[in-house]
Amino acid sequence: HLGRLRQRVAAACARAGLRGAALVDIRLVSAKTGYGVEGLVSRLQRSWKCAGDVYLLGATNSGKSTLFNTLLRSDYCKSRAPDIIDRATVSPWPGTTLNLLKFPIINPTCDRIFRRQERLKEEATKTEDQLSSEEKKYLNQLKKQGYLVGRVGRTFQQQKSNAEIDFDPDTLSYSMDEDPRDAPKKLEEREEFTHNEVKDARWCFDTPGIVKEDCVLNLLTEKEVKLVLPSHAIVPRTFILKPGMVLFLAALGRIDYLEGEKPAWFSVLASNLLPVHVTTLSNADTIYEKHAGQEFLKVPMGGEERMKEFPPLVPQDVTLKGIGTTEAVADIKLSSAGWVAVTAHEEEELLLRAYTPKGTALVVREPPLLPYISAIRGARIPGTPAYRTKKPPSFVENLRTTGSR
C-alpha cells in the first residue's frame, strides 16, 4: 500500500531531523522502471520559483545515478542536453560516480507545461495493445524488472538537422570468410552548449553518495555486491519454521527461532540471487563453518581465505508478540542484505536470535514495511518448510487498462 510506505518514509525523515518546512514532498518512484517519474518531474517543475540548483543526495548504491539518467531523458532536462552530456557512471561500488555530473534543467514556461500535460493526457488514453512493437518489447523488459512500471517520455525533442544516414557501403561489406571490419571512425565534433543556453541555467547534480559506516556492502567485493543488490523485482520467499529451526540468508544473515509455542512464517525480501537455507539449530554452526565462502551460501565467495578476513556473525536477541496469521509483526533488517518479515499467531510470544556480520547494523522494524507480505506465496512445497514463490502482477501507471489484471 503506497500510502503506508509514504507514512513510513515520512516517519524516518522526522527521526532524522527532516520535518516541517524542510520536507516539501515525498514521492515513491522507480528510476529503473519509470514508475512515478513523470509525477516527480511535474512536481519538480512546480518548484521552479525556488531559485537554485538541485542535488540528488543519498547513500551509496541507493540508485541516484539511475534516477539522474532517467531525469536526463525526461522533460526535466533541456532538450539538447542528452546529446551532449555523458550518462552517469552507474557502478555498484560505493562512491564511484566519477565526477559530479550535471545537466541543465528546462525552464517550465506556461507553454511547455501545457504541451507536456497534453502529451501525458494523450498517452494515458492508450492501452498496451495500441503501443508499437518496439514499445511493447521495452515495456515487457520493465515488467520483468519491477511490479510498478511507468513510461517516461519527452515532449520537447531536439530536431535533427539531417535525417539522412551517411555511410560508405565499402566499409560495411565483407566476404563470408572474413570478419566484419569496424568502419573507420570520423572525428566527430563534440556538440556543446552555447553561452546563452547556460548562462542563467539551473542544474541538476548527481553526487557520489554517502557511505554508511555500518553497512554490509562495505565488507563485500564488487562481484559480491552485484549479487546482493537486487537488479530485478524481488519475489518474496516465505518459509514456515518451528522452534529450533534456523534460517540463513547467504552467509550474511541468520535468524534462529529459539522459543515459541507454534510455527511462525518468515518472509525473505532480498535479492533473488542470494540463497536462503533452512536447517536445525543443532546443524547451523556446522553449516556456516563448512559452507561460508562456498557456492552453497554464495556470498561471501572465495573460500577459507576470504572468510579469514570476513567478520564473524554476531547475535542479537529479539522478542516479538504475534498479531495474527495474516499480518507480520516486525521486519528483521539484516543490514543492506535484505530483511525478513515475521508473521506469528495472535498473542504468540517468540524469542528469536538474529545475526549479522560484526560491525554492521541489525534493525528490528516495528511496524513492518509490508505487513501482509506472507500472503504473497504459492502452495507449500511438500516435505519442506518452503512455499512456492509467487510473483505479483505488474501494473503500468500511465496506460489505460483493459479487462482484469
Side-chain angles (χ1 to χ4, degrees):
H1 190 274
L2 296 179
R4 187 190 302 112
L5 291 176
R6 207 173 275 111
Q7 288 172 2
R8 299 284 192 272
V9 174
C13 290
R15 286 194 300 273
L18 186 64
R19 56 167 70 85
L23 186 62
V24 176
D25 201 356
I26 293 172
R27 294 273 163 171
L28 301 177
V29 304
S30 169
K32 188 153 191 174
T33 71
Y35 178 82
V37 172
E38 288 286 24
L40 174 64
V41 169
S42 297
R43 180 64 187 85
L44 286 167
Q45 288 182 333
R46 291 203 298 275
S47 68
W48 178 261
K49 62 182 179 294
C50 306
D53 298 326
V54 174
Y55 291 81
L56 300 180
L57 303 177
T60 52
N61 301 302
S62 58
K64 295 180 303 301
S65 295
T66 307
L67 180 58
F68 178 89
N69 288 331
T70 303
L71 292 174
L72 178 63
R73 280 153 181 77
S74 77
D75 283 341
Y76 193 52
C77 176
K78 280 183 181 284
S79 57
R80 283 209 320 127
D83 298 326
I84 296 171
I85 296 163
D86 294 326
R87 295 186 69 194
T89 303
V90 181
S91 167
W93 193 238
T96 49
T97 299
L98 301 179
N99 298 302
L100 202 61
L101 293 162
K102 64 180 182 177
F103 65 72
I105 302 168
I106 202 167
N107 184 350
T109 59
C110 291
D111 173 61
R112 284 174 178 153
I113 292 288
F114 175 77
R115 286 162 59 197
R116 170 175 160 74
Q117 291 305 320
E118 290 298 297
R119 174 180 71 80
L120 292 175
K121 279 184 205 170
E122 183 188 345
E123 289 185 353
T125 64
K126 290 182 179 179
T127 64
E128 201 167 323
D129 294 336
Q130 292 172 296
L131 300 178
S132 68
S133 58
E134 190 175 324
E135 285 178 306
K136 280 184 191 174
K137 185 178 177 183
Y138 182 57
L139 194 62
N140 286 331
Q141 283 179 349
L142 294 179
K143 284 180 177 180
K144 289 175 184 174
Q145 293 174 355
Y147 307 129
L148 299 175
V149 177
R151 297 178 304 143
V152 182
R154 287 188 72 92
T155 309
F156 321 108
Q157 298 284 357
Q158 170 68 14
Q159 297 299 314
K160 301 291 182 187
S161 57
N162 182 10
E164 292 181 16
I165 299 171
D166 183 25
F167 67 93
D168 178 358
D170 291 335
T171 64
L172 299 178
S173 63
Y174 57 93
S175 65
M176 294 296 288
D177 58 355
E178 123 185 295
D179 290 332
R181 295 189 303 261
D182 290 331
K185 291 183 180 177
K186 295 179 181 177
L187 285 173
E188 293 181 9
E189 191 176 325
R190 184 175 169 82
E191 198 174 355
E192 299 288 354
F193 287 120
T194 65
H195 173 72
N196 285 339
E197 281 180 299
V198 295
K199 67 175 181 178
D200 297 317
R202 296 177 190 175
W203 297 86
C204 178
F205 289 90
D206 187 27
T207 62
I210 301 153
V211 177
K212 295 188 290 182
E213 288 183 1
D214 55 4
C215 179
V216 73
L217 300 179
N218 298 339
L219 305 174
L220 303 180
T221 64
E222 186 171 347
K223 195 173 179 182
E224 291 163 352
V225 169
K226 284 180 178 177
L227 295 172
V228 173
L229 290 181
S231 57
H232 286 69
I234 292 170
V235 179
R237 289 172 281 177
T238 295
F239 303 81
I240 184 166
L241 271 62
K242 296 176 182 176
M245 297 181 77
V246 173
L247 181 147
F248 279 102
L249 175 60
L252 300 175
R254 165 181 164 176
I255 298 175
D256 300 356
Y257 183 4
L258 297 180
E259 293 177 19
E261 294 295 321
K262 298 174 182 176
W265 292 265
F266 294 74
S267 300
V268 179
L269 288 107
S271 165
N272 294 109
L273 298 176
L274 289 184
V276 175
H277 291 290
V278 175
T279 185
T280 61
L281 202 51
S282 57
N283 288 338
D285 289 343
T286 304
I287 282 180
Y288 182 81
E289 288 165 16
K290 182 179 179 182
H291 293 289
Q294 310 297 334
E295 182 62 24
F296 184 72
L297 292 177
K298 207 154 200 173
V299 177
M301 54 180 67
E304 288 182 24
E305 288 301 311
R306 175 77 175 98
M307 295 313 296
K308 280 179 187 175
E309 63 184 28
F310 197 78
L313 295 181
V314 293
Q316 179 177 319
D317 284 3
V318 178
T319 305
L320 301 173
K321 183 181 279 191
I323 296 173
T325 57
T326 59
E327 186 176 353
V329 59
D331 294 331
I332 299 176
K333 192 169 178 288
L334 304 167
S335 189
S336 295
W339 78 81
V340 180
V342 181
T343 306
H345 289 81
E346 188 176 357
E347 296 299 308
E348 173 77 7
E349 290 195 1
L350 309 181
L351 175 59
L352 309 175
R353 186 166 289 153
Y355 298 73
T356 53
K358 188 176 182 180
T360 66
L362 189 146
V363 177
V364 179
R365 184 164 52 200
E366 294 181 89
L369 199 59
L370 301 169
Y372 306 108
I373 196 68
S374 70
I376 303 174
R377 66 181 191 232
R380 177 86 176 268
I381 300 172
T384 76
Y387 292 84
R388 297 193 188 281
T389 54
K390 185 178 178 183
K391 185 177 179 181
S394 296
F395 168 71
V396 186
E397 67 168 343
N398 41 5
L399 273 185
R400 190 161 55 85
T401 55
T402 53
S404 59
R405 284 203 314 276

